[in-house]
Amino acid sequence: MSAPELPLSAPLNVGFDYTRSVGPVLGRFVNALRERRVEGVRGSDGRVHVPPLEYDPVTAEALSEFVPVASEGEIVSWSWIAEPLDGQPLSRPFAWALVKLDGADTSILHAVDAGSPSGIHTGQRVRIRWAEETVGHIRDIAYFVPADGSDTEPTEAPPPVAKREDGAPVSVVITPIHLKYEHSASPEESRYLRGLAEGKLIGQRCPSCEKVYIPPRGACPTDGVPTTDEVELPDTGIVTTFCIVNVPFLGQKIKPPYVAAYILLDGADIAFLHLVLGCDAADVRMGMRVRAAWKPRDEWWTSLENIGHFAPTGEPDAPYESFAHHL
Amino acid sequence: MPDVAVVGFAQAPNVRSTPGTTNGVEMLVPIFAEVFERTGLSKEDIGFWCSGSSDYLAGRAFSFIAAVDAIGAFPPIHESHVEMDAAWALYEAWLKIRMGEVETALVYGFGKSSAGQLRRVLALQMDPYVVAPLWPDSVSVAGIQARLGLEAGLWSEKDLAEVAARSRADAASNPAAQFSGTAEVADLLDAPYFADPLRAHDIAPVTDGAAVLVLASAERAADLVDSPAMITGIEHRVDSPSLGVRDLTRSPSTAAAGRALDLDGVELAELHAPFTHQELILRDALGLGEQVRINPSGGVLTGNPMFSAGLARIGEAASRILDGSARKTLAHATSGPVLQQNLVATLEVLS
Ligand SMILES: [Zn+2]
């Protein structure tokens, strides 16, 4: 017996723009940053908070008394990052620091371009290095530099925010988020995906309830045990239910109208979503017999995309009672 | 209102990485079986299910839904989820039993930290307007906290290394721990900084893992196990999300949670301290004296599975009562790189 194959895995990159409305307090702060000014807010105990807080941390009272503060201040504490990570303010080694700006009583977290750990200490005076283009976002503060030093060379930071129209008030901030993962399929899913690369449809049977799942499951949702016994299924089945897509959307590959349908393969107990093409959308119906239309063999890989779509076989429809419990 | 007890606990091995899926099914199926065997319960006996996990850790939306397959959720079940450590899922389950809605509950947490870059992903736990867009990694933020205490003379680098050395030695008796062993404090201090002032031994390792815990009303618990671990108090509090507002060398929210409980007579405490200096902050906030044994499991410095590590602290503290080795224990769970949110519970022998 050969050693079990490792599950399939692949990089998964997730990206989206977080778009958030700022409200009156953070709005005032980011609009000031855009003009290369810093504003804090006075708390109910008299302390000036920078960045400003919407609600007092002691009394929870709404805060609204804005106070301009300096763009220079001193380091309260710091740590060193020897190998900067994606998206951080500097791409060369730098310090993260809490900086208390002159006129403020609380401190702001930001980056300090200090060269090496020996170039930074608590109590050190630092000043803001502004981004070349300010748009109303925390990253209008590119990073801090020692107050008595000359400007350091700008490092190429990733574009932090979406640009906006000149003059428009800043009411939202947009932050692109990019995350990288190594995504793994379960051992059962991996068997199925490797089968597809050979043109096989491999389901697995739950050892407890004997239902056949395709794709197979890491655990049977009825019994909570992994599916185990392998079952090779034919590429024929029926449409259990379907919808006609009439609406165009971003990334759409087929011109509407077309049919997305749940296909129940012969011998399976669970339907999966695929396309039904090869007939007029209006002719697709529940119980219709269909067969896989495979792409040319040299395009096969570990994906259900190997089946381009399902097409009607022309056989008589399956009676409703035969699939009613699979809906 | 019914009192609530812990009657069973199990956890998956804490490991640097698994080849499994981010939905945790592979780690959860065996440990569900383990707690069912220990308690004699079956899934049909569980009144309420609650889990803790994170979509950011998994890199996909509604990632907890797929984990429900591990339950075998047919016929339909009563189920809930928190996007936090499962210690907070336990709080929700505790309420369900206190309200008399159910007699039993199963709480689980899981996370595959190795799928992404953990300390970068955790930046998204912080304020989304003025902090997270800078991508401050969790280790660096904790480093700022550590330096505040070092420079104020509240602790030394040697104090921190001693916490690490003790944790590793204690982990030798914990079969689930990611690593253990003896380490000389002087050797640890010779190591280079990872994020000055933190060295590798000051930082909890990246860990994949899962944990499950079974709760029952006091009445039901007495039928299930010999010595149920009664939850005699559970409290959670938060501090301001603004990092620069509070004194980071203290944990006011932990102190407030502890004050609301009766901590007299606590013999041992399982503290969720992902950085060595945080153990010292927590001890101080809870007023735990020298007589209180800290983290006999080795704590999260020897294995920190995100979103189940806090639940596992409650599980470990409960296990010392279930196995008869202690009469009163304390468990603590945290969330956020500088102890922003804290939950404290006391567990005792059923009187
Ligand atoms: Zn089954």
Side-chain angles (χ1 to χ4, degrees):
Chain A
M1 207 174 115
S2 60
E5 289 176 294
L6 274 178
L8 288 168
S9 67
L12 171 70
N13 296 329
V14 179
F16 52 94
D17 285 352
Y18 245 136
T19 305
R20 299 175 182 274
S21 51
V22 284
V25 176
L26 288 161
R28 175 105 172 213
F29 177 66
V30 295
N31 275 292
L33 292 182
R34 195 184 184 195
E35 296 167 13
R36 305 191 172 190
R37 295 183 293 107
V38 183
E39 288 202 41
V41 73
R42 193 178 302 280
S44 48
D45 55 2
R47 286 190 298 170
V48 174
H49 298 293
V50 178
L53 303 175
E54 294 171 295
Y55 295 93
D56 190 84
V58 182
T59 63
E61 192 183 311
L63 301 179
S64 59
E65 187 190 340
F66 294 94
V67 181
V69 301
S71 56
E72 196 175 306
E74 69 173 46
I75 289 177
V76 174
S77 183
W78 58 278
S79 63
W80 191 256
I81 181 137
E83 290 174 30
L85 305 177
D86 285 354
Q88 293 184 335
L90 284 138
S91 52
R92 54 175 172 252
F94 69 94
W96 284 110
L98 284 173
V99 176
K100 191 162 78 165
L101 293 171
D102 295 345
D105 294 289
T106 60
S107 52
I108 184 170
L109 180 77
H110 220 298
V112 179
D113 191 13
S116 73
S118 60
I120 185 168
H121 60 268
T122 299
Q124 186 174 4
R125 301 282 304 167
V126 290
R127 64 181 160 83
I128 292 173
R129 184 191 175 106
W130 295 99
E132 276 176 26
E133 189 179 4
T134 54
V135 295
H137 191 276
I138 187 63
R139 298 195 72 150
D140 290 348
I141 300 175
Y143 45 87
F144 283 78
V145 293
D148 56 2
S150 54
D151 265 3
T152 53
E153 280 297 303
T155 69
E156 195 59 40
V161 288
K163 293 180 181 174
R164 66 184 79 240
E165 301 271 324
D166 273 346
V170 176
S171 57
V172 297
V173 293
I174 303 169
T175 304
I177 301 292
H178 292 283
L179 296 164
K180 294 176 183 170
Y181 299 88
E182 185 69 16
H183 181 73
S184 296
S186 70
E188 296 78 13
E189 289 165 334
S190 300
R191 291 289 304 142
Y192 157 78
L193 293 168
R194 287 181 166 121
L196 283 169
E198 297 167 19
K200 291 182 191 166
L201 291 163
I202 296 176
Q204 279 178 325
R205 198 187 306 274
C206 170
S208 181
C209 67
E210 304 205 326
K211 282 198 167 71
V212 171
Y213 294 103
I214 184 164
R217 316 281 291 208
C220 170
T222 301
D223 300 294
V225 295
T227 58
T228 46
D229 305 341
E230 199 165 293
V231 181
E232 189 172 341
L233 294 166
D235 65 356
T236 54
I238 60 164
V239 172
T240 58
T241 185
F242 65 97
C243 79
I244 301 175
V245 179
N246 289 299
V247 184
F249 56 84
L250 189 71
Q252 198 169 41
K253 290 180 178 168
I254 304 167
K255 193 172 158 10
Y258 61 90
V259 176
Y262 270 104
I263 310 290
L264 183 69
L265 293 180
D266 296 328
D269 288 290
I270 194 167
F272 58 77
L273 191 63
H274 217 299
L275 298 166
V276 174
L277 303 176
C279 66
D280 196 289
D283 290 338
V284 176
R285 53 202 181 268
M286 292 171 78
M288 180 188 236
R289 298 281 305 160
V290 290
R291 179 188 301 278
W294 292 82
K295 288 182 181 168
R297 179 177 282 267
D298 59 5
E299 293 176 28
W300 289 356
W301 65 303
T302 48
S303 170
L304 189 55
E305 288 180 353
N306 298 354
I307 295 175
H309 62 271
F310 282 79
T313 64
E315 296 165 280
D317 287 2
Y320 179 77
E321 305 75 52
S322 69
F323 61 89
H325 61 293
H326 288 302
L327 292 175
Chain B
M1 279 193 289
D3 286 327
V4 180
V6 177
V7 295
F9 168 66
Q11 62 180 321
N14 289 196
V15 293
R16 177 59 182 80
S17 72
T18 67
T21 55
T22 50
N23 61 40
V25 165
E26 298 91 336
M27 296 188 286
L28 290 168
V29 167
I31 60 176
F32 282 176
E34 204 176 319
V35 287
F36 286 143
E37 197 192 320
R38 281 193 206 162
T39 57
L41 295 167
S42 68
K43 69 174 189 181
E44 286 74 20
D45 298 317
I46 302 297
F48 179 65
W49 304 74
C50 200
S51 61
S53 69
S54 168
D55 282 355
Y56 279 113
L57 212 62
R60 50 183 181 160
F62 294 102
S63 57
F64 73 96
I65 295 285
V68 173
D69 275 5
I71 296 171
F74 188 87
I77 56 169
H78 296 285
E79 182 266 346
S80 184
H81 173 258
V82 297
E83 193 78 5
M84 277 194 79
D85 190 289
W88 278 265
L90 179 139
Y91 184 81
E92 186 175 336
W94 175 83
L95 282 175
K96 283 275 186 203
I97 299 176
R98 294 284 283 166
M99 290 189 295
E101 286 188 15
V102 296
E103 284 194 317
T104 56
L106 186 147
V107 184
Y108 62 101
F110 61 94
K112 184 178 173 178
S113 299
S114 67
Q117 190 171 20
L118 180 65
R119 64 198 162 107
R120 188 170 176 277
V121 169
L122 292 180
L124 298 175
Q125 278 188 319
M126 290 187 276
D127 173 277
Y129 292 94
V130 298
V131 182
L134 304 170
W135 293 98
D137 56 293
S138 53
V139 172
S140 296
V141 174
I144 287 174
Q145 181 183 40
R147 184 181 306 283
L148 282 163
L150 289 167
E151 294 186 349
L154 298 173
W155 51 74
S156 66
E157 294 187 6
K158 181 165 167 282
D159 293 335
L160 305 187
E162 282 170 356
V163 169
R166 194 213 64 234
S167 300
R168 289 176 189 199
D170 283 340
S173 60
N174 177 2
Q178 188 169 341
F179 61 84
S180 62
T182 51
E184 293 299 326
V185 168
D187 294 341
L188 293 177
L189 290 173
D190 275 346
Y193 290 117
F194 179 83
D196 186 348
L198 297 179
R199 295 181 172 88
H201 66 251
D202 293 313
I203 305 163
V206 175
T207 308
D208 292 352
V212 55
L213 192 146
V214 182
L215 298 178
S217 64
E219 197 181 357
R220 191 77 194 277
D223 298 334
L224 296 173
V225 290
D226 292 338
S227 75
M230 299 301 303
I231 299 176
T232 48
I234 183 166
E235 296 285 334
H236 55 119
R237 301 283 190 275
V238 301
D239 285 311
S240 170
S242 180
L243 299 170
V245 162
R246 68 178 167 100
D247 174 0
L248 291 176
T249 64
R250 303 185 184 285
S251 180
S253 57
T254 304
R259 272 197 304 275
L261 300 173
D262 172 15
L263 305 187
D264 275 356
V266 164
E267 295 154 55
L268 66 88
E270 283 285 342
L271 305 178
H272 189 182
F275 300 92
T276 47
H277 65 276
Q278 292 182 348
E279 179 180 305
L280 305 178
I281 294 174
L282 293 168
R283 276 185 89 131
D284 185 61
L286 294 167
L288 301 175
E290 289 300 316
Q291 77 288 358
V292 179
R293 178 99 152 80
I294 304 294
N295 290 346
S297 69
V300 296
L301 290 169
T302 62
N304 184 32
M306 292 303 299
F307 301 94
S308 66
L311 181 71
R313 304 281 64 73
I314 301 173
E316 291 285 359
S319 295
R320 300 293 80 76
I321 289 173
L322 287 161
D323 69 15
S325 59
R327 297 190 60 80
K328 182 167 184 176
T329 63
L330 179 148
H332 160 266
T334 197
S335 180
V338 286
L339 303 170
Q340 280 93 334
Q341 316 198 37
N342 295 284
L343 180 149
V344 182
T346 51
L347 299 121
E348 294 182 55
V349 172
L350 179 63
S351 55

